Amino acid sequence: MKKPGSAIDPLWYKDAVIYELHVRTFQDSNADGIGDFPGLISRLDYLQDLGVTCLWLLPFYPSPLRDDGYDISNYTAVNPSYGTIEDFKLFLAAAHQRNMQVLIELVINHTSDQHPWFQKARHAPPGSPERDFYVWSPTDQIYKDAPIIFSDTEKSNWTWDETAKAFYWHRFFHHQPDLNFDNPAVLEEVLKAMRFWLDLGVDAFRLDAVPYLVERDGTACESLPETHHIIRTIRAAIDDGYTNRFILAEANQWPADVRPYFGNGDECNMAFHFPLMPRIYMALRQEDRLPITDIIAQTPPIPDSCQWGLFLRNHDELTLEMVSSDERDYMYFAYSADPRMRVNSGIRRRLAPLLDNNRQRIQLLNSLLLSFPGTPIVYYGDEIAMGDNIYLGDRNAVRTPMQWSSDRNAGFSTANPARLCFPVVMDPIFGYQAVNVEAELSDQSSLLHWTRNMIALRKLFRVFGRGSMEFLNPENRKVIAYIRHYDPTSRSKEDTAAHVRDLTSPGTEIVLCVANLSRFAQPVSLDLSEFAGMVPVEMLGYVPFPTITAAPYPLTLAPYSFFWLELQPAHQPRNSTEAYTSIPDEEPTLDQLTLDASTRPLNPL
């Protein structure tokens, strides 16, 4: 019998709002300067109130921490600094009790060089089962077509091991040897570790660095057919033994190259849309929608059971691998004037510093994140406009402790400040005395309250997670406008495309999203003739706009502003209580979501 997950809907991940956090830097409960699971449990009510529905945890396994936990030395245990397996079980139960699912990392491309597997391999003779767990060679001249990912620090993908008297292969840091998936025993161990966490009740896995699992000479050693066979095997093992779980692919590639990771709905349920992220920033700085519309036009359809994962920022650098050299130079110029802000092929900055701490820009980009097709991912602290520390090495600039209050160590820990895993941000603009959860909770006009209200509003409409998207093309390119449409009776997103759209089907949701990418007010005229007779209702304040006719529909947008407009039949009741009576019983009410007039802004600004 299959073991059920905590979610009831098999496609729950389509409607999820994911919150990414690091146990290490979220909340310390025992004054050792390091976040832990008991501390995380103490903050779950905050996350529940924020409205997020899935928690993505960065690696919490035993590790030498030379790559912040991505160098794993034991796949089926918890780093003692963060707690015990029992603490993890308590966290899992507490999250599930609050109707939040849990997504954890499955880092299977490589291990730490301190992992017992590698220590056995380097001492074992060539050809032995132990040696065969990793990729070895007497020469460093094979696989030369594979690019070096961490070009800032690594000069080769091969490192000589004096004990083994051979070179070992690593696509990342030299202390992270790659596993050998040509050895069936490796995949068996991976499946064993995966089942360990699934049996505990984990809801999802993020497959780290999944394109690099297999190596073949004469290729770039990326996205090979054998890699997809491994993913299908992992997916089949999950589907055979468990229900309502999902796997998320980290494949930093062009959309057409990521498409195979969905397979025929039999590989990954979700994959990140990496190329979209830098183009959102590019469109904002250029005040032109073209970078966004162009990359989405290059995005192929995916199986209806699959989903894109969307984000503005995360724990890594703002990657610029999927842009041209000219675009990369432009992004460096626009967003990282100080060379210390750069690492590898990207920019190591948080959302608020990238946007010059401009509240309107932050809200604008979040409106795109929450309304584009896919599942949005919020990076911890971005909901309060946390800053970064570019003086910390590698990608740790964006991994500083969560800022809870203006108290000692930002409320993260009562330890001596010198003991903290990373120093808290202390600069005048983004320092914890100025930016913290406690202050923003007490300010009804804060970014935190705005973010909570936007997440709550998004969760009321399935169109955002499951609907189709059609760009409108107004003459003013500083304005981006698109129709989101969801028909619960259709079999696929393609069925809800414009040429077969049913505007009257029960449960149909139609939302018009319009955003001004410019720092100046902009006019726009939209061709909405297809929706003539319908009334656009601004969704934050529930304000009806003029009825749509066959004539071009005019709007004026303030700088960096946006509208979410639900298109309703003209006879639909205008009272918000009546208007939402069709919401299923299990959905929260507007009152529960604190979207009452006393606590929410009347417009997106």
Side-chain angles (χ1 to χ4, degrees), residues 461-530:
F461 293 86
R462 283 199 160 182
V463 65
F464 293 118
R466 306 195 185 206
S468 64
M469 181 188 202
E470 177 193 355
F471 280 113
L472 305 178
N473 294 296
E475 289 185 9
N476 188 349
R477 283 177 34 174
K478 296 180 185 298
V479 174
I480 185 170
Y482 44 99
I483 296 288
R484 301 298 318 275
H485 176 235
Y486 173 65
D487 179 355
T489 64
S490 68
R491 290 175 297 176
S492 69
K493 289 180 182 178
E494 285 68 34
D495 287 345
T496 63
H499 62 286
V500 293
R501 202 148 43 202
D502 184 352
L503 307 182
T504 59
S505 176
T508 293
E509 296 173 358
I510 307 171
V511 174
L512 167 64
C513 300
V514 189
N516 177 12
L517 300 170
S518 171
R519 62 195 185 281
F520 303 114
Q522 296 293 329
V524 67
S525 293
L526 302 175
D527 179 4
L528 300 177
S529 56
E530 177 188 356

Side-chain angles (χ1 to χ4, degrees), residues 235-280:
R235 173 66 182 275
I238 293 174
D239 290 349
D240 287 348
Y242 308 88
T243 61
N244 302 351
R245 320 294 176 99
F246 84 84
I247 50 176
L248 165 62
E250 186 211 22
N252 187 2
Q253 299 179 339
W254 293 101
D257 297 326
V258 176
R259 172 60 184 85
Y261 285 91
F262 296 111
N264 296 315
D266 59 351
E267 292 192 32
C268 294
N269 310 78
M270 191 186 299
F272 291 119
H273 200 312
F274 276 100
L276 176 61
M277 175 187 58
R279 284 165 179 80
I280 290 176

Side-chain angles (χ1 to χ4, degrees), residues 114-191:
Q114 301 305 305
H115 196 293
W117 295 346
F118 187 73
Q119 291 303 313
K120 290 179 181 177
R122 61 199 296 259
H123 287 92
S128 64
E130 293 82 5
R131 176 71 71 99
D132 206 29
F133 255 62
Y134 294 85
V135 181
W136 300 91
S137 172
T139 173
D140 60 357
Q141 296 304 301
I142 58 173
Y143 309 151
K144 292 184 70 65
D145 294 325
I148 299 171
I149 296 171
F150 290 161
S151 55
D152 284 6
T153 55
E154 300 295 331
K155 304 307 177 187
S156 171
N157 288 322
W158 291 103
T159 291
W160 176 259
D161 185 83
E162 187 61 34
T163 300
K165 302 298 182 185
F167 290 94
Y168 63 87
W169 178 254
H170 55 88
R171 287 307 300 272
F172 294 90
F173 291 118
H174 65 273
H175 54 79
Q176 293 170 317
D178 278 23
L179 287 165
N180 175 22
F181 277 93
D182 287 328
N183 179 359
V186 170
L187 181 55
E188 280 304 312
E189 288 295 330
V190 166
L191 295 176

Side-chain angles (χ1 to χ4, degrees), residues 161-357:
D161 185 83
E162 187 61 34
T163 300
K165 302 298 182 185
F167 290 94
Y168 63 87
W169 178 254
H170 55 88
R171 287 307 300 272
F172 294 90
F173 291 118
H174 65 273
H175 54 79
Q176 293 170 317
D178 278 23
L179 287 165
N180 175 22
F181 277 93
D182 287 328
N183 179 359
V186 170
L187 181 55
E188 280 304 312
E189 288 295 330
V190 166
L191 295 176
K192 189 184 302 181
M194 182 185 74
R195 291 187 180 105
F196 173 85
W197 297 105
L198 289 171
D199 289 344
L200 291 183
V202 163
D203 300 282
F205 294 104
R206 171 187 176 269
L207 297 183
D208 178 74
V210 71
Y212 313 114
L213 299 184
V214 177
E215 305 78 29
R216 293 292 181 267
D217 205 16
T219 74
C221 298
E222 297 179 16
S223 303
L224 298 175
E226 295 88 343
T227 297
H228 291 283
H229 174 73
I230 292 166
I231 298 171
R232 286 192 295 272
T233 302
I234 291 173
R235 173 66 182 275
I238 293 174
D239 290 349
D240 287 348
Y242 308 88
T243 61
N244 302 351
R245 320 294 176 99
F246 84 84
I247 50 176
L248 165 62
E250 186 211 22
N252 187 2
Q253 299 179 339
W254 293 101
D257 297 326
V258 176
R259 172 60 184 85
Y261 285 91
F262 296 111
N264 296 315
D266 59 351
E267 292 192 32
C268 294
N269 310 78
M270 191 186 299
F272 291 119
H273 200 312
F274 276 100
L276 176 61
M277 175 187 58
R279 284 165 179 80
I280 290 176
Y281 291 94
M282 204 177 301
L284 178 68
R285 188 54 66 100
Q286 294 177 352
E287 300 189 357
D288 189 334
R289 66 174 182 260
L290 184 61
I292 295 174
T293 56
D294 180 62
I295 196 64
I296 291 184
Q298 296 180 47
T299 303
I302 59 176
D304 198 49
S305 62
C306 296
Q307 184 82 315
W308 290 106
L310 309 178
F311 60 97
L312 296 174
R313 287 301 298 112
N314 62 15
H315 63 288
D316 285 332
E317 67 271 24
L318 193 165
T319 179
L320 300 177
E321 289 185 71
M322 295 297 109
V323 299
S324 69
S325 57
D326 287 344
E327 290 171 330
R328 185 178 301 113
D329 290 343
Y330 177 82
M331 287 290 288
Y332 280 148
F333 170 78
Y335 288 106
S336 60
D338 188 331
R340 285 171 294 195
M341 299 173 182
R342 306 171 190 174
V343 65
N344 301 318
S345 296
I347 302 170
R348 56 193 200 109
R349 302 229 71 186
R350 270 187 173 268
L351 177 65
L354 278 168
L355 302 181
D356 301 321
N357 205 30

Side-chain angles (χ1 to χ4, degrees), residues 92-111:
L92 201 59
H96 289 164
Q97 187 178 21
R98 292 166 174 80
N99 296 316
M100 290 188 286
Q101 278 66 55
V102 175
L103 162 66
I104 69 172
E105 298 273 359
L106 195 63
V107 186
I108 59 174
N109 177 71
H110 50 262
T111 70

